[in-house]
Amino acid sequence: MTYVNSTANALGDFLMSPFRGANPWPGMLAISFVTAIVFVWVFKVFSNQRGLKRKKGRMMARALELLLFRHDMVVSLTAFGRLAAANFSYFGELLKPIAVSLIPALLLLIQIACWYEYRPFAIGEPILVQVDFSDDFPMMSREIECVSSEGLETETDSLRIPSLNQANWRLRARAAGFGWVDVKADDASVRKEIVVDDRLLKVSDRRVQSGFWDTLFHPVESPIEQAVPIKQVRVYYPHRQLFVAGIEVHWVIAFLVLTMVFGLLIGRLFKVSF
Amino acid sequence: MTTPSEQSACAVSRRRFLQAAASAAFISGCGESRRGGESAARIERMIVLGVDGMDPTLVKQFVAEGRMPNCRRLMQEGSFGPLQTCDPPQSPVAWSNFISGTNPGGHGIFDFIARDPKTMRPFHSTAQSIPASGLLPLGRYQIPLSAGRIENRRQGKTFWNLLEQSGVPCTVFRVPANFPTTSTDATTLSGMGTPDLQGGYGTFTYFTDDSRQWSRDVSGGRIEKVFVRDHVVDCKLKGPVNSFLAEETSSELTFRVYLDPERPLAKLVFPEAEIMLREGEWSEWIVVKFPMLPPLVQVSGICRVLLKRAQDGFGLYVSPVNIDPADPSLPISTPPDYSRRLVREMGYFYTQGMIEDTSALSAGVLTPDEYRQQSTFVIEERLRFFEHELARFHDGFLFFYFSSLDLNSHVFWQTRDPEHPTYTQEFAEQYGDFIPELYDKIDRAIGQALERTDDKTLLMVMSDHGFTSFRRQFNLNSWLMDNGYVRSKNPGKRGANSYLLDVDWSNTRAYGLGINGLYLNLAGREANGIVQGGPEADMLKCQLIARLKDVRDPENGRQVIANVFRAEEIYSGPYLQDAPDLVVAYNQDYRASWDTVLGSFPRQHLLDNTDAWSGDHCVDSRIVPGVLLSNRAIRKSDPDLTDLAPTILSAFGVPVPAEMTGHDLLQPQV
């Protein structure tokens, strides 16, 4: 998983590196465009274009049949059944390219989420750092500490929640940059990155102990070692907001709509049948 | 300004009379004539700073002390003087005069509270909720087939609409009596009159585990008893009434507070946010979303919290939940995107009309220090937004409203009046600097506006009224009852009910409602009216005027009521018939009691005012004039609030409509 994440991180950083400005839209447009090209190509290569055309034609014919004989119930019902069958058959043709695209699409969405789900802290904003300890670690009787880098100010003592075996600190962003906190429990120490900036930058809201899904969904920072009594260090970043004509749009919606629009245009250009 | 009891009245009256209608909203000319003196535009830009409650005597005093250099400059280079306010000098009335250029007979707002003579039910005078109709029952839910709405009850033309129609771009920031924002091309944000999400003027919540407390409503807020178990507290915050439910109840939002076992720290976990506070700390804005028809419909609000106690007990103050300006459930701005744009550019901000939580101070939930902190947030936020608006203002008209002097003069006036019943030297020494400090901050804003003025810019600083002490309270309704004008249905239970519920209407000739209103129980108008119009009504009015002006305070022999006006003496216009028959103008240091405002009948006629609300202005208008400062010479000898709209229109060369009764202040009087 670590190698997959490293490759995906490197690719994501490379693609997004020209778009680290204050405006998140150029990056969104670019990543949607590149994604559309790649997935149209994948679709063209892994789909049976001739079969697809044939099945789309059949669907059209069944639809016309339904329309023409709408006054005859028996024929209409039969046509409806044939239309449904044609639809299933069409979707069957899509299974192969979808299966091929599924894992890259998931990795891509996870990478984009690192850029668009949250935004870095602004200078002056409070930062809540939450540390979840292993169930067998007696947090209340041990010494725990949070040391922050320059540019971050630790404002509070640790707030310990025995029922959750969790400790929290509040920091404040004082200067822009890639800062960090070192969370120390007994002799172990875990470093968590905290980004303060007003640009579009990749952030990681949590660093987790290894586990397939946790590692897959939080690819930016390497997993916490198993020997350390800390399950995860979480930083509550603010959600990034994207606006279209003053209306907030979730990044997933924006990405999917843009990718589909670009995909349809590119598909037409390269004569790809969907 | 409202008093705490008014706020309570608003909350209760909403519950009783407007609740369903208010929540339902979540689901969802006269000819113009040119008058003398109008010509082409004399200016290119105009800035008006509306400073609620700025008192001319205090301005003179502070300028003399060298505290307000920018005011001094305006006085020297332009003009300064008192601005005649209206009767009664209540903010919604006064600001409506300013907006429409007419007296209350022309805009229909006569008091904070009005009543429906057919039902005798009181309601907010400035806005009215129209509930959704055609409800389709679906199990425990009901689906409205038409959307509810809220209507602004202020009538008449607004000067900014006339300016916009003539091509003058306008920004009107939080002018009172403009909720919901009326249809306009101007950029406007609603101000005083904008409710919180519960529909009142502001309802705080205080969560506590104090064994002496129990869950209950208090004036302007609610105390919620909670229990701390394993250092965890579960809290339920009330939201708007959920009119999607067949049995309408308040929506609720649950959040959890984790306390450190040994340190005064707490983590608050809301559905939309997690924050950490130290004891004594205020939070930033928190977004809270109340489920109405999950998962389809929710109402978004914002609030701030103060962690009062986290060790040896628990106390958490939650501010009234303001309408979320990023996702407003009611119309608070024009264009509708304006409030969202402000959030994007400046962050969240107070949208509630009456921001400073004087109710929490009066209830003892906020200490004076904590209240002062909250008040300071408000003025600092206003100054930030003023700077922002000023930076993007290049031409046209800009109005910007400051509320801080008014509400803080209400609650800190005793620091300036050694004869006030609640005056103590210690309190005066500790908090006596706050009102001057706020005047200094307003002076800073005036200075910023002055920097943006040139010979083509007109700058005016005005207030709707001044201030005086509120030492003694008069129970007008009790006086009416004891003098035979009102008969009670239950004399034994006198004072138990508000809203005139105890009145035996078949034997009642006059009643008080609102702060200064006195109505006759008129046959043909009131549902059970017994006083005939014409000579009988005139005679009754004469009698009431003479007897009320004769009321003396047994403590000191002073006259309690300076004047009583007939409506037709002081008002004119199409809405005159909605006015109280008589307007009671109290003498200096006196005002209507907290009880009488809401139609209650306690036994005492006069009593000390021992509430934190120690200053007021709902007295004879001659006692509390406002302020008018300008960078141009004011040529009218007795400027009045109604003169400002015609002055603004004339300055831009826009014809003044015939119904505006004021005059251009920059032109010599004919």
Side-chain angles (χ1 to χ4, degrees):
Chain A
M1 199 65 239
T2 312
Y3 297 115
V4 174
N5 277 341
S6 304
T7 311
N9 283 335
L11 196 61
D13 289 348
F14 172 73
L15 283 172
M16 292 299 291
S17 57
F19 303 106
R20 295 180 177 189
N23 188 342
W25 280 108
M28 178 57 77
L29 286 165
I31 200 81
S32 305
F33 185 69
V34 173
T35 305
I37 291 174
V38 172
F39 281 90
V40 166
W41 177 79
V42 168
F43 192 85
K44 187 173 184 178
V45 170
F46 289 95
S47 65
N48 177 357
Q49 286 288 305
R50 203 183 273 174
L52 265 176
K53 279 180 191 160
R54 199 173 57 245
K55 284 173 181 175
K56 272 170 73 178
R58 192 172 297 161
M59 271 165 45
M60 186 62 77
R62 300 305 177 209
L64 281 171
E65 188 181 5
L66 193 62
L67 195 70
L68 285 170
F69 298 101
R70 64 185 180 278
H71 303 301
D72 186 327
M73 204 170 94
V74 176
V75 177
S76 289
L77 283 172
T78 312
F80 188 78
R82 286 176 181 161
L83 179 61
N87 261 308
F88 278 116
S89 178
Y90 170 74
F91 284 120
E93 283 291 340
L94 299 180
L95 281 177
K96 190 177 165 191
I98 287 174
V100 172
S101 315
L102 207 58
I103 290 171
L106 180 66
L107 292 173
L108 182 74
L109 281 170
I110 291 168
Q111 278 297 318
I112 301 173
C114 298
W115 297 80
Y116 284 94
E117 184 66 33
Y118 301 103
R119 64 165 173 82
F121 290 103
I123 294 171
E125 274 187 325
I127 302 166
L128 179 60
V129 177
Q130 173 188 311
V131 180
D132 292 291
F133 293 97
S134 310
D135 297 340
D136 56 356
F137 179 72
M139 173 194 68
M140 291 301 291
S141 58
R142 300 294 179 85
E143 194 155 316
I144 52 173
E145 197 185 355
C146 176
V147 180
S148 58
S149 67
E150 210 174 305
L152 300 173
E153 180 191 341
T154 308
E155 286 192 329
T156 65
D157 279 338
S158 61
L159 182 156
R160 295 151 307 163
I161 305 172
S163 55
L164 303 174
N165 216 30
Q166 182 190 91
N168 297 265
W169 286 266
R170 195 182 70 204
L171 285 73
R172 198 160 292 268
R174 295 294 181 206
F178 288 81
W180 45 259
V181 285
D182 274 340
V183 180
K184 296 177 179 176
D186 286 348
D187 298 331
S189 176
V190 172
R191 178 164 290 194
K192 172 79 190 78
E193 184 185 71
I194 296 176
V195 187
V196 180
D197 212 303
D198 57 2
R199 294 175 299 157
L200 176 68
L201 291 173
K202 184 162 73 174
V203 297
S204 157
D205 72 318
R206 61 186 91 186
R207 186 173 174 192
V208 294
Q209 222 162 38
S210 58
F212 179 78
W213 294 110
D214 275 342
T215 316
L216 175 67
F217 285 106
H218 304 99
V220 178
E221 291 171 287
S222 59
I224 298 169
E225 288 170 29
Q226 291 291 351
V228 174
I230 292 175
K231 287 199 287 191
Q232 68 162 351
V233 183
R234 181 174 181 187
V235 173
Y236 284 84
Y237 279 99
H239 281 276
R240 180 174 287 286
Q241 293 175 303
L242 295 177
F243 291 95
V244 177
I247 309 289
E248 190 180 347
V249 181
H250 195 275
W251 70 265
V252 174
I253 306 289
F255 173 71
L256 289 179
V257 169
L258 285 171
T259 307
M260 276 195 286
V261 170
F262 285 134
L264 287 169
L265 293 173
I266 294 163
R268 181 165 289 195
L269 200 66
F270 292 101
K271 296 185 171 53
V272 180
S273 184
F274 297 108
Chain B
M1 292 287 73
T2 51
T3 61
S5 59
E6 284 167 49
Q7 292 189 8
S8 165
C10 296
V12 178
S13 65
R14 183 194 64 79
R15 274 193 291 278
R16 287 196 182 168
F17 311 111
L18 303 174
Q19 199 168 49
S23 64
F26 288 110
I27 309 167
S28 55
C30 297
E32 287 177 1
S33 69
R34 283 182 178 273
R35 295 215 306 258
E38 281 140 15
S39 58
R42 301 193 293 263
I43 56 166
E44 286 178 4
R45 285 171 295 276
M46 181 171 187
I47 301 169
V48 176
L49 300 190
V51 189
D52 206 314
M54 192 182 211
D55 185 78
T57 311
L58 287 188
V59 171
K60 272 189 253 178
Q61 181 192 327
F62 295 146
V63 166
E65 290 170 3
R67 291 193 75 120
M68 301 180 77
N70 297 303
C71 268
R72 175 189 288 275
R73 193 179 138 196
L74 258 185
M75 285 173 176
Q76 287 169 345
E77 294 173 7
S79 54
F80 164 75
L83 180 65
Q84 182 56 43
T85 183
C86 55
D87 275 300
Q90 297 182 26
S91 292
V93 187
W95 287 107
S96 297
N97 279 18
F98 164 72
I99 290 168
S100 63
T102 70
N103 68 73
H107 56 66
I109 307 296
F110 299 94
D111 198 295
F112 269 104
I113 300 172
R115 94 296 180 225
D116 177 353
K118 296 300 170 207
T119 60
M120 303 309 289
R121 287 178 173 177
F123 56 85
H124 289 295
S125 62
T126 54
Q128 184 178 21
S129 300
I130 314 292
S133 59
L135 296 167
L136 180 70
L138 278 176
R140 60 188 286 256
Y141 291 98
Q142 56 185 11
I143 308 299
L145 300 177
S146 76
R149 64 183 195 281
I150 289 194
E151 280 181 355
N152 193 324
R153 290 177 54 83
R154 179 180 38 73
Q155 308 296 324
K157 290 179 177 170
T158 63
F159 66 79
W160 59 80
N161 262 354
L162 297 167
L163 288 176
E164 281 283 343
Q165 282 163 16
S166 300
V168 179
C170 295
T171 297
V172 179
F173 198 94
R174 283 185 69 92
V175 72
N178 191 37
F179 173 81
T181 46
T182 48
S183 174
T184 178
D185 291 332
T187 302
T188 66
L189 186 68
S190 67
M192 184 194 294
T194 310
D196 65 354
L197 270 194
Q198 287 199 35
Y201 281 160
T203 307
F204 69 84
T205 312
Y206 181 52
F207 297 96
T208 178
D209 70 340
D210 189 334
S211 57
R212 294 162 299 178
Q213 297 284 3
W214 66 97
S215 292
R216 66 190 192 280
D217 287 329
V218 294
S219 177
R222 182 165 173 80
I223 310 280
E224 287 284 0
K225 181 72 185 278
V226 290
F227 299 94
V228 182
R229 293 191 182 96
D230 296 330
H231 312 290
V232 178
V233 190
D234 284 317
C235 303
K236 282 185 177 171
L237 183 63
K238 282 198 190 309
V241 170
N242 190 350
S243 49
F244 282 102
L245 291 175
E247 198 175 313
E248 290 185 0
T249 49
S250 289
S251 53
E252 277 185 346
L253 176 138
T254 304
F255 65 97
R256 181 167 276 193
V257 183
Y258 294 100
L259 302 169
D260 188 279
E262 289 154 6
R263 296 170 185 153
L265 292 165
K267 181 180 181 183
L268 285 72
V269 180
F270 289 87
E272 305 287 325
E274 304 202 6
I275 60 163
M276 192 173 152
L277 292 175
R278 287 180 288 216
E279 195 171 84
E281 256 184 350
W282 289 84
S283 72
E284 315 268 332
W285 285 109
I286 302 165
V287 176
V288 285
K289 296 195 171 178
F290 293 92
M292 308 297 274
L293 190 62
L296 300 175
V297 184
Q298 53 186 5
V299 171
S300 186
I302 53 170
C303 62
R304 295 183 75 158
V305 305
L306 167 68
L307 182 64
K308 285 175 67 78
R309 291 182 77 186
Q311 283 287 297
D312 306 322
F314 175 71
L316 182 76
Y317 161 86
V318 181
S319 75
V321 182
N322 285 223
I323 293 169
D324 181 354
D327 184 11
S329 48
L330 290 171
I332 58 167
S333 72
T334 58
D337 183 45
Y338 178 49
S339 66
R340 294 191 195 104
R341 198 180 69 202
L342 282 172
V343 174
R344 289 200 298 276
E345 292 168 357
M346 301 292 291
Y348 284 104
F349 57 91
Y350 286 100
T351 55
Q352 182 192 331
M354 315 269 285
I355 305 176
E356 286 88 347
D357 199 347
T358 56
S359 299
L361 177 69
S362 290
V365 166
L366 291 182
T367 64
D369 276 327
E370 290 162 348
Y371 169 81
R372 186 171 169 160
Q373 287 166 2
Q374 194 251 339
S375 251
T376 305
F377 295 149
V378 176
I379 183 73
E380 294 299 338
E381 179 193 286
R382 279 301 99 103
L383 290 169
R384 267 192 318 114
F385 276 72
F386 178 60
E387 216 168 305
H388 176 74
E389 288 302 323
L390 209 53
R392 70 178 195 91
F393 173 69
H394 300 295
D395 62 349
F397 177 83
L398 170 65
F399 171 87
F400 199 94
Y401 172 80
F402 290 94
S403 66
S404 293
L405 294 190
D406 180 82
L407 282 162
N408 290 298
S409 295
H410 276 299
V411 294
F412 285 114
W413 196 263
Q414 75 269 43
T415 62
R416 313 192 65 77
D417 179 11
E419 289 181 48
H420 195 278
T422 60
Y423 176 87
T424 64
Q425 196 174 344
E426 189 190 353
F427 190 84
E429 281 169 5
Q430 208 172 344
Y431 300 104
D433 62 332
F434 194 43
I435 291 176
E437 186 184 305
L438 291 169
Y439 272 77
D440 288 350
K441 287 182 175 172
I442 296 298
D443 188 68
R444 214 168 76 201
I446 294 170
Q448 287 172 330
L450 266 170
E451 280 171 24
R452 295 295 305 271
T453 58
D454 54 24
D455 56 350
K456 288 178 180 165
T457 307
L458 175 57
L459 170 65
M460 283 186 169
V461 181
M462 49 77 63
S463 66
D464 54 338
H465 52 69
F467 255 87
T468 187
S469 192
F470 174 20
R471 296 178 192 162
R472 301 270 289 163
Q473 35 180 339
F474 180 60
N475 281 318
L476 173 65
N477 274 317
S478 303
W479 182 91
L480 288 169
M481 182 172 275
D482 291 335
N483 284 279
Y485 296 101
V486 179
R487 179 74 63 82
S488 173
K489 282 191 288 194
N490 302 301
K493 289 185 177 175
R494 180 173 169 173
N497 282 321
S498 298
Y499 310 109
L500 305 167
L501 292 173
D502 285 339
V503 174
D504 171 7
W505 291 108
S506 58
N507 286 296
T508 289
R509 292 185 290 157
Y511 60 98
L513 193 71
I515 303 176
N516 301 86
L518 177 51
Y519 297 84
L520 304 188
N521 189 21
L522 210 55
R525 185 183 68 183
E526 265 77 0
N528 299 296
I530 60 164
V531 178
Q532 298 302 318
E536 187 184 339
D538 286 341
M539 204 180 297
L540 182 58
K541 283 186 203 171
C542 284
Q543 191 185 57
L544 280 165
I545 291 169
R547 293 189 69 184
L548 281 168
K549 284 168 82 169
D550 210 29
V551 173
R552 293 287 184 276
D553 187 342
E555 292 273 311
N556 52 31
R558 286 181 63 192
Q559 187 177 347
V560 173
I561 293 165
N563 222 328
V564 182
F565 300 106
R566 289 179 175 85
E568 57 273 20
E569 272 178 64
I570 53 173
Y571 304 145
S572 60
Y575 302 98
L576 177 62
Q577 77 276 4
D578 297 332
D581 298 294
L582 297 171
V583 176
V584 181
Y586 290 93
N587 204 353
Q588 187 149 16
D589 305 326
Y590 291 87
R591 210 209 69 178
S593 73
W594 308 114
D595 289 321
T596 203
V597 168
L598 300 175
S600 185
F601 301 88
R603 292 197 182 275
Q604 276 181 287
H605 290 184
L606 273 156
L607 60 159
D608 278 342
N609 170 30
T610 54
D611 199 275
W613 192 273
S614 53
D616 213 287
H617 45 79
C618 298
V619 294
D620 190 319
S621 63
R622 291 166 301 180
I623 299 168
V624 284
V627 167
L628 182 62
L629 283 147
S630 172
N631 65 346
R632 301 270 176 100
I634 300 295
R635 294 174 187 267
K636 188 168 177 259
S637 58
D638 54 345
D640 182 280
L641 271 173
T642 54
D643 295 330
L644 286 161
T647 305
I648 294 164
L649 293 175
S650 300
F652 283 103
V654 176
V656 178
E659 65 263 32
M660 287 195 177
T661 52
H663 301 275
D664 184 353
L665 295 170
L666 304 179
Q667 295 295 319
Q669 276 178 278
V670 181

